[in-house]
């Protein structure tokens, strides 16, 4: 995905510990990307009927416009993607659930972005299938899913 320009260390929930890696725009990929680092260390609770069909370890990412960091003065415009990505990352562990491509999470009240209705998860756009998988030395494979906000 590219070099990490900044890491946001989340000091909240400890299970699992999650940081967010910011990948800056490049000539090849002119948008920011925020990618979690840490949820892949925790295995999601996959139902028996889905075992073997779904990867039980994931990381999630969101793509943001190239002018995103220029919005720091308008707090909600800057912070809502960070809060949203952490919310999605903790969802399977806080709810004893699991996430995969084509899943949605509804939001009735998201103060950081009041017009947010839900998120849709899918394979990251603009990346090959191989780039969506992280092979660890332990033999574990972690899948990356992209978060797409759906507004009202």
């Amino acid at each position: 995905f590219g070099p990490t320009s900044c890491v946001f260390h989340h000091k909240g929930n400890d299970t699992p510990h999650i940081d967010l890696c910011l990948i800056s725009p490049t000539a090849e990929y002119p948008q920011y990307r925020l990618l979690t680092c840490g949820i892949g260390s925790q295995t999601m609770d996959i139902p028996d009927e889905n075992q073997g069909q779904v990867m039980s370890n994931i990381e999630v990412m969101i793509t943001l416009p190239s002018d995103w960091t220029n919005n720091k003065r308008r707090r909600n415009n800057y912070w809502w993607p960070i809060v949203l990505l952490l919310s999605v990352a903790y969802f399977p562990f806080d709810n004893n659930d699991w996430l995969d491509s084509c899943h949605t999470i509804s939001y009735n009240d998201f103060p950081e972005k009041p017009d947010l209705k839900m998120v849709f998860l899918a394979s990251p756009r603009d990346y090959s299938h191989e780039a969506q998988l992280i092979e660890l030395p332990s033999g574990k494979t972690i899948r990356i899913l992209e978060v797409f906000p759906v507004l009202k």
Side-chain angles (χ1 to χ4, degrees):
F1 292 99
T4 301
S5 58
C6 176
V7 176
F8 297 94
H9 294 285
H10 185 243
K11 296 182 180 181
N13 198 339
D14 288 332
T15 308
H17 175 79
I18 299 173
D19 291 327
L20 298 178
C21 300
L22 179 64
I23 302 164
S24 294
T26 62
E28 182 181 338
Y29 199 89
Q31 289 109 358
Y32 281 97
R33 282 141 310 150
L34 270 176
L35 175 67
T36 61
C37 179
I39 61 174
S41 67
Q42 187 85 11
T43 301
M44 294 183 294
D45 188 22
I46 307 293
D48 291 341
E49 62 269 15
N50 296 98
Q51 291 289 333
Q53 302 171 31
V54 175
M55 300 193 81
S56 58
N57 300 85
I58 64 167
E59 297 291 347
V60 292
M61 65 173 283
I62 190 168
T63 301
L64 301 167
S66 60
D67 67 347
W68 172 67
T69 58
N70 294 333
N71 291 329
K72 287 181 185 177
R73 291 186 192 106
R74 297 179 63 199
R75 186 172 185 262
N76 287 350
N77 283 342
Y78 180 74
W79 290 107
W80 76 263
I82 294 169
V83 175
L84 179 64
L85 201 57
L86 287 168
S87 170
V88 171
Y90 282 115
F91 179 86
F93 310 108
D94 291 346
N95 295 285
N96 197 29
D97 209 341
W98 58 288
L99 295 172
D100 194 26
S101 186
C102 297
H103 280 199
T104 60
I105 301 172
S106 295
Y107 289 92
N108 293 323
D109 182 31
F110 193 79
E112 290 80 7
K113 185 125 181 97
D115 58 346
L116 180 70
K117 182 177 182 177
M118 70 175 66
V119 296
F120 176 77
L121 288 100
S123 297
R125 58 186 171 193
D126 302 328
Y127 293 101
S128 68
H129 178 72
E130 294 78 25
Q132 300 169 27
L133 303 174
I134 301 169
E135 299 285 337
L136 300 180
S138 66
K140 183 190 296 186
T141 302
I142 298 172
R143 180 175 184 195
I144 298 174
L145 295 173
E146 187 165 1
V147 173
F148 296 92
V150 177
L151 306 178
K152 295 177 186 172

